[in-house]
Amino acid sequence: MKLRKVTAASAAVLALTVGATACGGNSDSGSGGGKKIKIGIKFDQPGLGLKEPSGSFSGFDVDVATYVAKELGYKPNEIQWVETKSADRENALARGDVKFIAATYSITDERKQKVDFAGPYLLAHQDLLLKKDSKISKGTDLNGKKLCSVTGSTSAQNVHDTIAPKAQLKEYSGYSECIAALQSGAVDAVTTDDSILAGFAAQDKYQGQFKLAGLKLSNENYGVGIKKGDTDSASKINKALEKMVSDGSWQKAVDKNFGPANYKNEQAPKIGQIVK
């Protein structure tokens, strides 16, 4: 009888121990072993970060983030994707909502005051998306033409102020509306980062209809956003990005996500090398 009591007590202790371990297994401690990692991406940018109707996720940023997570010890099914809109990226990192962010997040001096970055992992440029038969070949050709960008974006205003002061600016709530307007002829060009434009143009319904002007109106160094002061994660992510380039996975991701739009990407940037 005494032996049974001891055994029951031992079993109870063991059950509590296992239960506590299982509960702790759902948190993110920076290592694998079945734990989840939360990663911020865009949900509405084809070719970069897109939530598909099936609930899966696709795009270059998704591929980069998945590769980095693998190097940190996480399997794809251990990733929890979190939508992080541009205006909330710094707050999401500060609150600890996500471990890191890969969401067309350009590295700027202003942002570096609030967050840290790994990378860059892509050098993009502001550009124009045009109809395939468009005669526009340089920025000044936009004078008198209708130029579209998203409400609140500075891209179209930059073109208007510095290159084509007679361009007619048209603003829509999202890039998908701009692309549809370009397709219908309601506007003559769409402007934002070339990677974003290429992602939209690579969609099946648009393939072969558009072209990038290749003007390189700005330099956008995409980095992986990390909470300020998290130097350990920055170091590990930088090593993962270097490996992704060296083993060919980076170029494969570029070709898969942007290739149908004939996107002429820059070579993979060197870690810590910011092109002004």
Side-chain angles (χ1 to χ4, degrees), residues 41 55 63 98 119 128 157 190 241:
I41 58 169
D63 289 344
V98 294
L128 304 176
Q157 193 65 49
V190 181
L241 294 174

PDB file of all heavy atoms in Angstrom, residues 41 55 63 98 119 128 157 190 241:
ATOM      1  N   ILE A  41       5.200  40.134 -41.850  1.00  0.00           N
ATOM      2  CA  ILE A  41       5.281  40.290 -43.299  1.00  0.00           C
ATOM      3  C   ILE A  41       4.091  41.117 -43.774  1.00  0.00           C
ATOM      4  O   ILE A  41       3.188  41.423 -43.004  1.00  0.00           O
ATOM      5  CB  ILE A  41       5.267  38.926 -44.037  1.00  0.00           C
ATOM      6  CG1 ILE A  41       3.994  38.149 -43.681  1.00  0.00           C
ATOM      7  CG2 ILE A  41       6.519  38.113 -43.718  1.00  0.00           C
ATOM      8  CD1 ILE A  41       3.759  36.923 -44.543  1.00  0.00           C
ATOM      9  N   GLY A  55      -4.982  30.418 -47.735  1.00  0.00           N
ATOM     10  CA  GLY A  55      -4.456  30.642 -46.390  1.00  0.00           C
ATOM     11  C   GLY A  55      -2.958  30.486 -46.303  1.00  0.00           C
ATOM     12  O   GLY A  55      -2.354  30.799 -45.274  1.00  0.00           O
ATOM     13  N   ASP A  63       9.905  33.945 -48.562  1.00  0.00           N
ATOM     14  CA  ASP A  63      10.978  32.971 -48.783  1.00  0.00           C
ATOM     15  C   ASP A  63      12.223  33.315 -47.967  1.00  0.00           C
ATOM     16  O   ASP A  63      12.870  32.436 -47.393  1.00  0.00           O
ATOM     17  CB  ASP A  63      11.343  32.911 -50.269  1.00  0.00           C
ATOM     18  CG  ASP A  63      10.244  32.258 -51.104  1.00  0.00           C
ATOM     19  OD1 ASP A  63       9.367  31.591 -50.509  1.00  0.00           O
ATOM     20  OD2 ASP A  63      10.262  32.408 -52.336  1.00  0.00           O
ATOM     21  N   VAL A  98       6.337  40.422 -32.763  1.00  0.00           N
ATOM     22  CA  VAL A  98       7.044  39.561 -33.704  1.00  0.00           C
ATOM     23  C   VAL A  98       8.520  39.503 -33.327  1.00  0.00           C
ATOM     24  O   VAL A  98       9.041  40.404 -32.660  1.00  0.00           O
ATOM     25  CB  VAL A  98       6.903  40.066 -35.155  1.00  0.00           C
ATOM     26  CG1 VAL A  98       5.468  39.957 -35.631  1.00  0.00           C
ATOM     27  CG2 VAL A  98       7.397  41.500 -35.283  1.00  0.00           C
ATOM     28  N   GLY A 119      20.951  42.658 -42.556  1.00  0.00           N
ATOM     29  CA  GLY A 119      20.950  42.846 -43.999  1.00  0.00           C
ATOM     30  C   GLY A 119      21.792  44.025 -44.424  1.00  0.00           C
ATOM     31  O   GLY A 119      22.740  44.384 -43.731  1.00  0.00           O
ATOM     32  N   LEU A 128       9.076  52.959 -62.557  1.00  0.00           N
ATOM     33  CA  LEU A 128       7.770  53.107 -63.178  1.00  0.00           C
ATOM     34  C   LEU A 128       7.349  51.781 -63.783  1.00  0.00           C
ATOM     35  O   LEU A 128       8.164  51.058 -64.363  1.00  0.00           O
ATOM     36  CB  LEU A 128       7.810  54.147 -64.305  1.00  0.00           C
ATOM     37  CG  LEU A 128       8.300  55.551 -63.987  1.00  0.00           C
ATOM     38  CD1 LEU A 128       8.356  56.375 -65.272  1.00  0.00           C
ATOM     39  CD2 LEU A 128       7.404  56.213 -62.964  1.00  0.00           C
ATOM     40  N   GLN A 157       4.780  61.909 -55.606  1.00  0.00           N
ATOM     41  CA  GLN A 157       5.126  63.297 -55.327  1.00  0.00           C
ATOM     42  C   GLN A 157       6.596  63.558 -55.612  1.00  0.00           C
ATOM     43  O   GLN A 157       6.960  64.629 -56.122  1.00  0.00           O
ATOM     44  CB  GLN A 157       4.799  63.637 -53.865  1.00  0.00           C
ATOM     45  CG  GLN A 157       4.826  65.137 -53.565  1.00  0.00           C
ATOM     46  CD  GLN A 157       3.741  65.913 -54.307  1.00  0.00           C
ATOM     47  OE1 GLN A 157       2.583  65.534 -54.286  1.00  0.00           O
ATOM     48  NE2 GLN A 157       4.126  66.985 -54.976  1.00  0.00           N
ATOM     49  N   VAL A 190       2.568  53.712 -63.166  1.00  0.00           N
ATOM     50  CA  VAL A 190       2.462  53.506 -61.723  1.00  0.00           C
ATOM     51  C   VAL A 190       3.870  53.568 -61.162  1.00  0.00           C
ATOM     52  O   VAL A 190       4.819  53.033 -61.762  1.00  0.00           O
ATOM     53  CB  VAL A 190       1.836  52.141 -61.385  1.00  0.00           C
ATOM     54  CG1 VAL A 190       1.722  51.962 -59.868  1.00  0.00           C
ATOM     55  CG2 VAL A 190       0.471  52.002 -62.037  1.00  0.00           C
ATOM     56  N   LEU A 241      21.389  35.133 -43.860  1.00  0.00           N
ATOM     57  CA  LEU A 241      21.273  35.812 -45.151  1.00  0.00           C
ATOM     58  C   LEU A 241      22.499  35.550 -46.024  1.00  0.00           C
ATOM     59  O   LEU A 241      22.377  35.332 -47.238  1.00  0.00           O
ATOM     60  CB  LEU A 241      21.086  37.316 -44.942  1.00  0.00           C
ATOM     61  CG  LEU A 241      19.782  37.748 -44.266  1.00  0.00           C
ATOM     62  CD1 LEU A 241      19.798  39.247 -43.978  1.00  0.00           C
ATOM     63  CD2 LEU A 241      18.572  37.380 -45.119  1.00  0.00           C
TER      64      LEU A 241
END
